[in-house]
Amino acid sequence: MPRRIRQLTLPVWRDPEAVFRAFFAESPYVAWLDGGADAASGSSVLAAAHPGTEFVTADARRGTVSRSRPAASDASAQVPTTTAGSIFDVLGEMLSGHRPAPGDDAIGSTDDGGPIGWFGWFGYELGAQLNAVPTAEAETADAAFLFVDRAIVFDHAARSVRLVWLDDDGSAAPGPAEAWAAELAAGIERLAAASAPVISPIASPAGAGPDRAPTRWRHGPERYEQLIAECQAAIIRGDAYQLCLTNRVDVDVHPDPASAYLALRASSPSHHGGYLRFGDTALLSASPEQFLHVEPGGIVSTKPMKGTRPRSADPETDAALRRELLASEKERAENLMIVDLMRNDLGRIAELGTVEVPSLLDVEEYAHVHQLVSTVTARLRHPLTALDAVQSAFPAGSMTGAPKHSAMTILHELEQGPRGIYSGAFGYLGVDGSADLAMVIRSIVLTPNGASIGTGGGITALSIAAEEVEETRIKARALLAVLGAEMPTSE
Protein backbone atom coordinates (compact mmCIF):
# COMPACT_ATOMS: atom_id res chain seq x y z
CA MET A 1 0.00 0.00 0.00
CA PRO A 2 1.48 3.41 -0.95
CA ARG A 3 2.34 5.73 1.88
CA ARG A 4 -0.18 8.55 2.03
CA ILE A 5 0.84 12.17 1.73
CA ARG A 6 -0.43 14.30 4.59
CA GLN A 7 -0.45 18.03 5.01
CA LEU A 8 -1.16 20.54 7.74
CA THR A 9 -1.64 24.26 7.09
CA LEU A 10 -0.49 26.35 10.01
CA PRO A 11 -2.56 29.26 11.33
CA VAL A 12 0.44 31.62 11.14
CA TRP A 13 2.84 32.94 8.52
CA ARG A 14 6.55 32.89 9.15
CA ASP A 15 9.30 34.05 6.84
CA PRO A 16 11.43 31.14 5.54
CA GLU A 17 14.66 32.76 6.69
CA ALA A 18 13.42 32.96 10.28
CA VAL A 19 12.41 29.28 10.19
CA PHE A 20 15.72 28.34 8.61
CA ARG A 21 17.71 30.18 11.27
CA ALA A 22 15.67 28.66 14.09
CA PHE A 23 15.51 25.03 12.94
CA PHE A 24 17.83 24.27 10.00
CA ALA A 25 20.97 26.42 10.03
CA GLU A 26 23.03 23.75 11.78
CA SER A 27 21.65 20.75 9.88
CA PRO A 28 24.37 18.82 8.03
CA TYR A 29 21.90 17.47 5.43
CA VAL A 30 19.38 20.12 4.48
CA ALA A 31 17.64 21.48 1.38
CA TRP A 32 16.16 24.96 0.96
CA LEU A 33 14.63 25.78 -2.41
CA ASP A 34 14.28 29.51 -1.98
CA GLY A 35 11.69 31.70 -3.68
CA GLY A 36 13.70 34.72 -2.58
CA ALA A 37 13.90 37.31 0.15
CA ASP A 38 10.73 39.44 0.22
CA ALA A 39 9.11 37.22 -2.44
CA ALA A 40 5.49 38.07 -3.23
CA SER A 41 4.83 35.04 -5.42
CA GLY A 42 6.01 31.48 -5.84
CA SER A 43 7.02 29.16 -3.03
CA SER A 44 9.94 28.08 -0.88
CA VAL A 45 10.59 24.62 0.56
CA LEU A 46 12.69 23.63 3.59
CA ALA A 47 13.61 20.07 4.57
CA ALA A 48 16.31 18.22 6.50
CA ALA A 49 17.37 14.60 6.87
CA HIS A 50 15.96 12.43 9.64
CA PRO A 51 17.12 8.90 10.65
CA GLY A 52 15.19 7.21 7.84
CA THR A 53 16.22 9.61 5.05
CA GLU A 54 17.98 8.11 2.05
CA PHE A 55 20.84 9.93 0.31
CA VAL A 56 22.27 8.95 -3.08
CA THR A 57 25.26 10.12 -5.09
CA ALA A 58 26.55 9.21 -8.53
CA ASP A 59 29.97 8.83 -10.12
CA ALA A 60 29.40 9.22 -13.85
CA ARG A 61 32.89 8.14 -14.96
CA ARG A 62 32.71 4.87 -13.03
CA GLY A 63 29.00 4.26 -13.62
CA THR A 64 28.24 3.78 -9.93
CA VAL A 65 25.65 4.93 -7.42
CA SER A 66 26.22 5.17 -3.67
CA ARG A 67 23.38 5.02 -1.15
CA SER A 68 23.33 5.77 2.57
CA ARG A 69 21.21 7.09 5.44
CA PRO A 70 23.45 9.85 6.83
CA ALA A 71 21.23 10.72 9.81
CA ALA A 72 20.63 7.10 10.88
CA SER A 73 21.30 6.17 14.49
CA ASP A 74 23.01 2.99 13.27
CA ALA A 75 26.53 3.99 12.21
CA SER A 76 26.69 1.20 9.64
CA ALA A 77 23.72 2.71 7.76
CA GLN A 78 25.62 5.98 7.45
CA VAL A 79 28.36 4.27 5.43
CA PRO A 80 27.59 4.47 1.69
CA THR A 81 26.98 1.26 -0.24
CA THR A 82 28.24 1.55 -3.82
CA THR A 83 26.96 -0.48 -6.75
CA ALA A 84 27.08 -0.26 -10.52
CA GLY A 85 24.05 1.44 -11.97
CA SER A 86 22.32 4.55 -13.26
CA ILE A 87 21.34 7.41 -10.98
CA PHE A 88 18.22 7.86 -13.10
CA ASP A 89 17.13 4.28 -12.41
CA VAL A 90 17.57 4.79 -8.66
CA LEU A 91 15.70 8.10 -8.66
CA GLY A 92 12.92 6.72 -10.82
CA GLU A 93 12.44 3.59 -8.72
CA MET A 94 11.90 5.60 -5.53
CA LEU A 95 9.59 8.10 -7.24
CA SER A 96 7.39 5.42 -8.77
CA GLY A 97 7.25 3.57 -5.46
CA HIS A 98 5.84 6.60 -3.65
CA ARG A 99 3.24 7.93 -6.08
CA PRO A 100 0.53 9.77 -4.14
CA ALA A 101 -2.51 7.90 -2.92
CA PRO A 102 -5.71 9.58 -1.73
CA GLY A 103 -5.63 10.28 1.99
CA ASP A 104 -8.32 10.77 4.58
CA ASP A 105 -6.39 12.32 7.44
CA ALA A 106 -8.60 14.60 9.48
CA ILE A 107 -5.86 17.20 9.82
CA GLY A 108 -5.51 17.41 6.08
CA SER A 109 -4.49 15.20 3.19
CA THR A 110 -3.76 15.73 -0.46
CA ASP A 111 -3.76 13.88 -3.75
CA ASP A 112 -0.99 16.25 -4.84
CA GLY A 113 2.53 15.03 -4.16
CA GLY A 114 3.71 18.59 -3.76
CA PRO A 115 7.36 18.86 -2.81
CA ILE A 116 7.76 15.26 -1.64
CA GLY A 117 10.56 13.58 -3.57
CA TRP A 118 14.25 13.92 -4.41
CA PHE A 119 16.05 17.20 -3.66
CA GLY A 120 19.56 17.73 -4.99
CA TRP A 121 21.71 18.42 -8.02
CA PHE A 122 22.91 16.99 -11.32
CA GLY A 123 26.51 17.98 -12.06
CA TYR A 124 27.79 19.02 -15.47
CA GLU A 125 29.97 15.94 -15.92
CA LEU A 126 26.89 13.71 -15.64
CA GLY A 127 25.53 15.68 -18.59
CA ALA A 128 28.73 15.07 -20.50
CA GLN A 129 28.33 11.35 -19.87
CA LEU A 130 24.71 11.48 -21.08
CA ASN A 131 25.92 13.11 -24.30
CA ALA A 132 28.86 10.72 -24.77
CA VAL A 133 31.53 13.41 -24.72
CA PRO A 134 34.84 13.38 -22.79
CA THR A 135 34.80 14.43 -19.16
CA ALA A 136 37.19 15.65 -16.51
CA GLU A 137 36.84 14.21 -13.02
CA ALA A 138 35.17 16.57 -10.54
CA GLU A 139 35.86 16.65 -6.81
CA THR A 140 32.13 16.75 -6.07
CA ALA A 141 29.54 14.06 -6.76
CA ASP A 142 28.22 14.02 -10.32
CA ALA A 143 24.72 13.87 -8.81
CA ALA A 144 23.57 14.06 -5.20
CA PHE A 145 19.98 13.75 -3.99
CA LEU A 146 18.24 13.55 -0.62
CA PHE A 147 14.83 11.86 -0.49
CA VAL A 148 12.57 14.35 1.26
CA ASP A 149 9.45 12.85 2.82
CA ARG A 150 8.93 15.68 5.36
CA ALA A 151 8.95 19.30 4.22
CA ILE A 152 7.81 22.82 5.04
CA VAL A 153 6.20 24.68 2.15
CA PHE A 154 5.91 28.48 2.16
CA ASP A 155 3.39 29.99 -0.25
CA HIS A 156 4.55 33.58 -0.66
CA ALA A 157 1.45 34.89 -2.42
CA ALA A 158 -0.98 33.40 0.11
CA ARG A 159 1.46 33.95 3.00
CA SER A 160 0.78 30.48 4.28
CA VAL A 161 2.99 27.80 5.82
CA ARG A 162 2.17 24.15 5.22
CA LEU A 163 3.78 20.97 6.56
CA VAL A 164 3.75 18.07 4.09
CA TRP A 165 4.87 14.53 4.87
CA LEU A 166 4.55 10.89 3.95
CA ASP A 167 2.89 8.87 6.70
CA ASP A 168 5.11 6.20 8.17
CA ASP A 169 3.58 2.93 7.01
CA GLY A 170 0.21 3.61 5.44
CA SER A 171 -1.62 2.88 8.69
CA ALA A 172 -3.91 5.26 10.51
CA ALA A 173 -1.88 5.08 13.73
CA PRO A 174 0.34 8.10 14.49
CA GLY A 175 4.04 7.55 13.94
CA PRO A 176 7.33 9.46 13.94
CA ALA A 177 6.31 11.60 10.94
CA GLU A 178 3.15 12.77 12.69
CA ALA A 179 5.20 13.51 15.81
CA TRP A 180 7.61 15.53 13.65
CA ALA A 181 4.73 17.53 12.21
CA ALA A 182 3.17 18.24 15.62
CA GLU A 183 6.46 19.29 17.20
CA LEU A 184 7.54 21.48 14.30
CA ALA A 185 4.12 23.10 13.95
CA ALA A 186 4.23 24.07 17.62
CA GLY A 187 7.75 25.43 17.25
CA ILE A 188 6.90 27.53 14.20
CA GLU A 189 3.76 28.87 15.85
CA ARG A 190 5.74 29.91 18.92
CA LEU A 191 8.30 31.59 16.67
CA ALA A 192 5.57 33.41 14.76
CA ALA A 193 3.64 34.43 17.86
CA ALA A 194 6.54 36.37 19.35
CA SER A 195 6.12 40.11 18.75
CA ALA A 196 9.86 40.59 18.42
CA PRO A 197 11.47 37.17 17.96
CA VAL A 198 15.04 36.88 19.12
CA ILE A 199 16.96 35.04 16.43
CA SER A 200 20.55 34.19 17.17
CA PRO A 201 22.79 36.00 14.71
CA ILE A 202 24.91 33.92 12.39
CA ALA A 203 28.52 34.98 12.02
CA SER A 204 29.66 36.79 8.88
CA PRO A 205 31.42 34.71 6.22
CA ALA A 206 35.12 34.19 6.77
CA GLY A 207 37.30 36.75 5.06
CA ALA A 208 34.68 39.49 5.02
CA GLY A 209 36.99 42.01 6.65
CA PRO A 210 39.37 44.46 4.98
CA ASP A 211 41.90 41.74 4.09
CA ARG A 212 40.51 40.07 0.99
CA ALA A 213 41.18 36.38 0.40
CA PRO A 214 43.23 35.74 -2.75
CA THR A 215 41.54 34.17 -5.77
CA ARG A 216 42.86 31.69 -8.31
CA TRP A 217 41.27 31.91 -11.76
CA ARG A 218 41.65 28.78 -13.85
CA HIS A 219 42.25 31.03 -16.87
CA GLY A 220 43.60 34.55 -16.47
CA PRO A 221 42.30 37.38 -18.68
CA GLU A 222 44.88 36.92 -21.44
CA ARG A 223 44.39 33.16 -21.60
CA TYR A 224 40.62 33.56 -21.55
CA GLU A 225 40.84 35.94 -24.52
CA GLN A 226 42.89 33.28 -26.32
CA LEU A 227 40.20 30.71 -25.57
CA ILE A 228 37.58 33.08 -26.97
CA ALA A 229 39.63 33.33 -30.17
CA GLU A 230 39.78 29.53 -30.35
CA CYS A 231 36.00 29.37 -29.90
CA GLN A 232 35.52 31.80 -32.76
CA ALA A 233 37.91 29.81 -34.94
CA ALA A 234 35.79 26.70 -34.29
CA ILE A 235 32.66 28.68 -35.22
CA ILE A 236 34.27 29.92 -38.43
CA ARG A 237 35.22 26.31 -39.30
CA GLY A 238 31.56 25.37 -38.89
CA ASP A 239 32.16 23.11 -35.86
CA ALA A 240 29.68 25.10 -33.73
CA TYR A 241 27.34 28.07 -33.91
CA GLN A 242 27.87 29.15 -30.32
CA LEU A 243 30.07 28.00 -27.43
CA CYS A 244 29.39 28.67 -23.76
CA LEU A 245 32.93 29.13 -22.51
CA THR A 246 33.37 29.04 -18.74
CA ASN A 247 36.00 29.82 -16.16
CA ARG A 248 36.46 28.78 -12.53
CA VAL A 249 37.55 30.82 -9.53
CA ASP A 250 38.88 29.13 -6.39
CA VAL A 251 39.09 30.90 -3.03
CA ASP A 252 40.89 29.49 0.01
CA VAL A 253 38.15 30.26 2.55
CA HIS A 254 35.92 28.02 4.67
CA PRO A 255 32.89 30.07 5.70
CA ASP A 256 29.94 28.69 7.63
CA PRO A 257 27.66 27.51 4.79
CA ALA A 258 24.45 28.90 6.30
CA SER A 259 26.04 32.28 6.99
CA ALA A 260 27.40 32.52 3.47
CA TYR A 261 24.06 31.60 1.94
CA LEU A 262 22.15 34.18 3.95
CA ALA A 263 24.67 36.81 2.83
CA LEU A 264 24.28 35.70 -0.79
CA ARG A 265 20.47 35.81 -0.78
CA ALA A 266 20.57 39.27 0.82
CA SER A 267 22.91 40.68 -1.83
CA SER A 268 21.56 38.77 -4.85
CA PRO A 269 17.83 38.10 -4.45
CA SER A 270 16.45 35.60 -6.95
CA HIS A 271 13.32 33.53 -7.53
CA HIS A 272 15.23 30.25 -7.99
CA GLY A 273 17.82 30.41 -5.23
CA GLY A 274 18.80 27.42 -3.19
CA TYR A 275 20.85 26.04 -0.32
CA LEU A 276 21.80 22.37 -0.47
CA ARG A 277 24.13 21.16 2.24
CA PHE A 278 25.06 17.50 2.01
CA GLY A 279 27.71 16.74 4.60
CA ASP A 280 30.96 18.49 3.76
CA THR A 281 29.70 19.84 0.41
CA ALA A 282 27.30 22.76 0.07
CA LEU A 283 25.74 24.51 -2.91
CA LEU A 284 24.73 28.14 -2.34
CA SER A 285 22.85 29.51 -5.33
CA ALA A 286 21.26 32.79 -6.35
CA SER A 287 20.28 31.32 -9.71
CA PRO A 288 17.87 33.36 -11.82
CA GLU A 289 17.49 30.70 -14.53
CA GLN A 290 14.97 27.88 -14.61
CA PHE A 291 16.24 24.78 -16.36
CA LEU A 292 13.12 22.59 -16.35
CA HIS A 293 9.69 22.87 -14.80
CA VAL A 294 7.38 19.88 -15.14
CA GLU A 295 3.76 19.97 -14.00
CA PRO A 296 2.13 16.79 -12.68
CA GLY A 297 0.00 16.76 -15.83
CA GLY A 298 3.07 16.62 -18.07
CA ILE A 299 3.52 20.22 -19.26
CA VAL A 300 7.26 20.95 -19.50
CA SER A 301 8.84 24.39 -19.72
CA THR A 302 12.37 25.73 -19.89
CA LYS A 303 13.55 29.34 -19.79
CA PRO A 304 16.92 29.72 -21.55
CA MET A 305 18.76 32.83 -20.44
CA LYS A 306 21.35 34.24 -22.83
CA GLY A 307 22.35 37.87 -23.14
CA THR A 308 23.63 40.04 -20.29
CA ARG A 309 24.15 43.68 -19.41
CA PRO A 310 25.17 45.09 -16.01
CA ARG A 311 22.78 47.12 -13.86
CA SER A 312 23.46 50.77 -13.02
CA ALA A 313 22.46 52.75 -9.96
CA ASP A 314 21.58 55.64 -12.26
CA PRO A 315 18.04 55.07 -13.65
CA GLU A 316 18.76 56.64 -17.03
CA THR A 317 21.95 54.63 -17.51
CA ASP A 318 20.19 51.48 -16.33
CA ALA A 319 17.37 51.99 -18.83
CA ALA A 320 19.91 52.59 -21.59
CA LEU A 321 21.71 49.33 -20.74
CA ARG A 322 18.39 47.50 -20.89
CA ARG A 323 17.62 48.97 -24.33
CA GLU A 324 21.13 48.14 -25.48
CA LEU A 325 20.67 44.49 -24.48
CA LEU A 326 17.33 44.21 -26.24
CA ALA A 327 18.72 45.78 -29.42
CA SER A 328 22.00 43.81 -29.51
CA GLU A 329 22.23 41.67 -32.64
CA LYS A 330 24.83 39.47 -30.98
CA GLU A 331 22.81 38.88 -27.78
CA ARG A 332 19.56 38.22 -29.67
CA ALA A 333 21.27 35.73 -31.97
CA GLU A 334 22.85 34.02 -28.96
CA ASN A 335 19.47 33.61 -27.26
CA LEU A 336 17.70 32.44 -30.42
CA MET A 337 20.29 29.73 -31.05
CA ILE A 338 19.71 28.29 -27.57
CA VAL A 339 15.93 28.52 -27.99
CA ASP A 340 16.26 26.44 -31.15
CA LEU A 341 18.45 23.91 -29.32
CA MET A 342 15.99 23.61 -26.42
CA ARG A 343 13.09 23.20 -28.86
CA ASN A 344 14.99 20.25 -30.32
CA ASP A 345 15.77 18.76 -26.87
CA LEU A 346 12.15 18.94 -25.74
CA GLY A 347 10.92 17.76 -29.11
CA ARG A 348 12.51 14.35 -28.49
CA ILE A 349 10.28 13.69 -25.49
CA ALA A 350 7.19 15.73 -26.42
CA GLU A 351 3.85 14.89 -27.95
CA LEU A 352 3.92 15.74 -31.65
CA GLY A 353 3.09 19.38 -32.30
CA THR A 354 3.19 20.54 -28.68
CA VAL A 355 6.56 22.35 -28.64
CA GLU A 356 5.90 26.10 -28.47
CA VAL A 357 7.75 29.35 -27.69
CA PRO A 358 5.23 31.49 -25.79
CA SER A 359 7.79 34.12 -24.81
CA LEU A 360 10.76 35.25 -26.88
CA LEU A 361 13.55 37.69 -25.98
CA ASP A 362 12.10 39.22 -22.84
CA VAL A 363 14.35 41.26 -20.54
CA GLU A 364 14.38 40.26 -16.85
CA GLU A 365 16.04 42.47 -14.25
CA TYR A 366 18.08 41.21 -11.30
CA ALA A 367 20.15 42.91 -8.63
CA HIS A 368 23.34 43.00 -10.70
CA VAL A 369 22.40 42.25 -14.31
CA HIS A 370 19.78 42.55 -17.03
CA GLN A 371 19.13 39.16 -18.72
CA LEU A 372 17.56 38.23 -22.04
CA VAL A 373 15.14 35.33 -21.43
CA SER A 374 12.86 33.17 -23.60
CA THR A 375 10.42 30.38 -22.72
CA VAL A 376 9.93 27.04 -24.48
CA THR A 377 7.10 24.65 -23.55
CA ALA A 378 5.91 21.18 -24.53
CA ARG A 379 3.75 18.28 -23.30
CA LEU A 380 5.46 15.04 -22.27
CA ARG A 381 4.71 12.07 -24.51
CA HIS A 382 3.08 9.19 -22.60
CA PRO A 383 4.51 7.29 -20.71
CA LEU A 384 7.61 9.50 -20.37
CA THR A 385 8.40 11.27 -17.10
CA ALA A 386 10.28 14.27 -15.75
CA LEU A 387 13.42 12.11 -15.57
CA ASP A 388 13.14 11.48 -19.33
CA ALA A 389 12.92 15.24 -19.86
CA VAL A 390 16.07 15.75 -17.79
CA GLN A 391 17.98 13.11 -19.73
CA SER A 392 16.91 14.61 -23.04
CA ALA A 393 17.72 18.23 -22.20
CA PHE A 394 20.64 18.05 -19.75
CA PRO A 395 22.91 19.90 -19.59
CA ALA A 396 20.99 22.98 -20.64
CA GLY A 397 21.91 24.44 -23.99
CA SER A 398 22.52 27.83 -22.39
CA MET A 399 25.53 26.24 -20.65
CA THR A 400 26.89 24.32 -23.65
CA GLY A 401 26.30 26.09 -26.94
CA ALA A 402 25.08 24.57 -30.17
CA PRO A 403 25.10 21.98 -31.60
CA LYS A 404 25.32 20.47 -28.12
CA HIS A 405 27.54 17.41 -28.72
CA SER A 406 30.08 19.30 -30.80
CA ALA A 407 30.06 22.29 -28.45
CA MET A 408 30.66 20.17 -25.35
CA THR A 409 33.50 18.29 -27.04
CA ILE A 410 35.22 21.53 -28.04
CA LEU A 411 34.73 23.08 -24.60
CA HIS A 412 36.21 20.02 -22.88
CA GLU A 413 39.44 20.60 -24.78
CA LEU A 414 39.50 24.34 -24.17
CA GLU A 415 38.47 24.58 -20.52
CA GLN A 416 40.99 22.01 -19.27
CA GLY A 417 39.21 21.08 -16.09
CA PRO A 418 35.89 19.96 -14.63
CA ARG A 419 32.91 22.25 -14.11
CA GLY A 420 31.54 20.10 -11.29
CA ILE A 421 28.21 21.24 -9.90
CA TYR A 422 28.51 24.57 -11.74
CA SER A 423 26.42 24.70 -14.93
CA GLY A 424 24.51 21.63 -13.82
CA ALA A 425 21.00 21.83 -12.38
CA PHE A 426 19.47 21.66 -8.90
CA GLY A 427 16.00 21.45 -7.42
CA TYR A 428 13.47 18.70 -6.85
CA LEU A 429 11.80 15.75 -8.58
CA GLY A 430 8.38 15.09 -7.06
CA VAL A 431 6.59 11.79 -6.50
CA ASP A 432 3.58 13.34 -8.25
CA GLY A 433 5.52 13.60 -11.52
CA SER A 434 6.42 17.26 -11.05
CA ALA A 435 9.90 18.78 -11.18
CA ASP A 436 11.45 22.19 -10.70
CA LEU A 437 15.13 22.46 -11.56
CA ALA A 438 17.22 25.62 -11.81
CA MET A 439 20.55 26.19 -13.48
CA VAL A 440 23.61 26.15 -11.24
CA ILE A 441 24.80 29.64 -12.09
CA ARG A 442 25.48 32.61 -9.80
CA SER A 443 26.48 29.95 -7.28
CA ILE A 444 29.13 29.14 -4.70
CA VAL A 445 30.29 25.57 -4.01
CA LEU A 446 31.88 24.84 -0.64
CA THR A 447 33.99 21.71 -0.06
CA PRO A 448 36.76 20.79 2.39
CA ASN A 449 39.19 22.28 -0.16
CA GLY A 450 37.60 25.73 0.00
CA ALA A 451 35.15 27.70 -2.11
CA SER A 452 34.72 27.82 -5.87
CA ILE A 453 32.50 29.64 -8.31
CA GLY A 454 31.96 29.29 -12.04
CA THR A 455 31.45 32.09 -14.49
CA GLY A 456 31.24 32.33 -18.26
CA GLY A 457 29.29 33.42 -21.29
CA GLY A 458 28.17 32.46 -24.75
CA ILE A 459 30.72 33.06 -27.50
CA THR A 460 29.57 33.76 -31.06
CA ALA A 461 31.30 35.02 -34.18
CA LEU A 462 30.27 38.55 -33.13
CA SER A 463 31.74 38.37 -29.62
CA ILE A 464 34.28 40.99 -28.55
CA ALA A 465 36.89 39.36 -26.32
CA ALA A 466 37.30 42.24 -23.86
CA GLU A 467 33.52 42.44 -23.35
CA GLU A 468 33.29 38.70 -22.75
CA VAL A 469 36.06 38.85 -20.13
CA GLU A 470 34.26 41.72 -18.43
CA GLU A 471 31.00 39.73 -18.42
CA THR A 472 32.69 36.93 -16.47
CA ARG A 473 33.87 39.51 -13.92
CA ILE A 474 30.41 41.05 -13.58
CA LYS A 475 28.91 37.63 -12.89
CA ALA A 476 31.61 36.75 -10.35
CA ARG A 477 31.73 39.96 -8.31
CA ALA A 478 28.68 39.45 -6.07
CA LEU A 479 29.75 35.89 -5.27
CA LEU A 480 33.33 36.88 -4.48
CA ALA A 481 32.05 39.68 -2.25
CA VAL A 482 30.11 37.13 -0.16
CA LEU A 483 33.32 35.14 0.28
CA GLY A 484 35.35 38.21 1.23
CA ALA A 485 37.59 37.51 -1.77
CA GLU A 486 39.62 39.69 -4.10
CA MET A 487 37.42 41.50 -6.57
CA PRO A 488 38.25 41.37 -10.29
CA THR A 489 39.14 44.75 -11.75
CA SER A 490 37.94 46.06 -15.07
CA GLU A 491 40.53 47.03 -17.63
Side-chain angles (χ1 to χ4, degrees):
M1 176 179 178
R3 293 166 64 188
R4 288 181 176 146
I5 294 176
R6 312 289 194 188
Q7 66 173 336
L8 173 63
T9 300
L10 304 187
V12 296
W13 163 257
R14 194 53 171 162
D15 184 81
E17 180 176 332
V19 176
F20 173 78
R21 286 177 177 270
F23 301 105
F24 295 92
E26 302 301 322
S27 299
Y29 284 80
V30 59
W32 180 6
L33 301 185
D34 186 3
D38 300 322
S41 61
S43 62
S44 296
V45 184
L46 270 169
H50 60 79
T53 300
E54 183 159 14
F55 177 60
V56 299
T57 61
D59 185 323
R61 288 166 65 89
R62 293 168 180 81
T64 58
V65 177
S66 298
R67 307 174 74 157
S68 64
R69 288 190 288 119
S73 54
D74 180 359
S76 63
Q78 300 174 17
V79 179
T81 300
T82 302
T83 58
S86 162
I87 185 66
F88 293 100
D89 290 342
V90 172
L91 299 178
E93 179 184 0
M94 186 73 103
L95 292 175
S96 63
H98 290 86
R99 287 198 179 102
D104 58 359
D105 195 319
I107 66 169
S109 61
T110 177
D111 296 338
D112 178 0
I116 297 299
W118 291 108
F119 283 58
W121 70 71
F122 296 108
Y124 178 82
E125 277 67 39
L126 177 67
Q129 187 262 348
L130 287 173
N131 286 272
V133 299
T135 64
E137 187 163 7
E139 66 173 311
T140 49
D142 294 316
F145 281 87
L146 193 72
F147 190 77
V148 167
D149 58 2
R150 305 175 186 176
I152 311 173
V153 183
F154 303 82
D155 184 324
H156 294 285
R159 291 183 67 80
S160 67
V161 181
R162 181 167 50 104
L163 306 186
V164 182
W165 68 96
L166 282 175
D167 64 12
D168 293 293
D169 57 9
S171 69
E178 283 73 15
W180 163 86
E183 181 179 353
L184 188 56
I188 293 174
E189 288 184 41
R190 284 195 299 270
L191 188 64
S195 57
V198 178
I199 303 171
S200 299
I202 297 177
S204 299
D211 296 328
R212 295 282 180 175
T215 58
R216 300 185 306 279
W217 292 66
R218 178 177 286 166
H219 306 294
E222 290 185 3
R223 177 55 182 159
Y224 199 75
E225 289 196 9
Q226 292 173 356
L227 295 177
I228 292 168
E230 292 187 42
C231 286
Q232 291 178 313
I235 292 168
I236 291 170
R237 289 195 304 270
D239 296 335
Y241 308 118
Q242 180 194 106
L243 292 161
C244 183
L245 182 67
T246 74
N247 206 348
R248 172 169 164 149
V249 192
D250 289 288
V251 188
D252 188 17
V253 293
H254 297 82
D256 171 69
S259 305
Y261 180 66
L262 292 175
L264 176 62
R265 81 188 294 265
S267 66
S268 302
S270 176
H271 50 72
H272 267 79
Y275 173 79
L276 298 174
R277 181 179 179 181
F278 297 152
D280 60 9
T281 301
L283 170 64
L284 326 177
S285 183
S287 178
E289 182 173 358
Q290 187 176 72
F291 167 49
L292 278 180
H293 181 270
V294 183
E295 298 177 9
I299 298 299
V300 186
S301 61
T302 183
K303 295 175 73 70
M305 182 176 284
K306 273 295 172 189
T308 307
R309 285 295 184 276
R311 299 297 305 271
S312 172
D314 175 65
E316 290 188 8
T317 302
D318 194 58
L321 287 165
R322 186 184 190 280
R323 291 192 299 271
E324 179 185 305
L325 172 60
L326 195 55
S328 169
E329 180 182 351
K330 180 261 182 186
E331 305 285 23
R332 292 171 68 90
E334 188 179 343
N335 192 287
L336 290 170
M337 281 187 277
I338 301 306
V339 167
D340 190 53
L341 188 156
M342 297 307 295
R343 288 175 64 249
N344 179 70
D345 284 351
L346 293 189
R348 293 199 297 269
I349 48 87
E351 288 183 1
L352 186 65
T354 66
V355 178
E356 298 178 347
V357 184
S359 174
L360 187 65
L361 302 175
D362 286 344
V363 177
E364 293 185 1
E365 296 175 345
Y366 296 91
H368 305 286
V369 292
H370 298 282
Q371 296 279 186
L372 205 56
V373 184
S374 298
T375 302
V376 184
T377 63
R379 180 180 288 277
L380 277 174
R381 186 172 67 250
H382 181 76
L384 300 182
T385 69
L387 282 171
D388 295 300
V390 172
Q391 291 177 83
S392 179
F394 187 69
S398 59
M399 298 307 301
T400 64
K404 186 179 286 188
H405 184 276
S406 178
M408 294 178 71
T409 303
I410 294 167
L411 291 166
H412 171 73
E413 295 298 325
L414 296 181
E415 293 181 355
Q416 292 294 298
R419 294 189 184 182
I421 305 173
Y422 169 66
S423 75
F426 76 96
Y428 85 89
L429 301 155
V431 298
D432 61 352
S434 65
D436 195 356
L437 298 166
M439 294 304 309
V440 183
I441 58 174
R442 317 292 198 273
S443 300
I444 298 168
V445 175
L446 302 178
T447 72
N449 294 325
S452 66
I453 66 172
T455 184
I459 309 303
T460 71
L462 300 176
S463 292
I464 298 172
E467 293 179 359
E468 296 295 340
V469 171
E470 180 60 17
E471 182 176 328
T472 66
R473 292 171 174 147
I474 291 167
K475 292 174 177 176
R477 283 192 180 105
L479 306 171
L480 293 173
V482 166
L483 296 171
E486 290 176 334
M487 301 300 288
T489 57
S490 300
E491 295 178 354

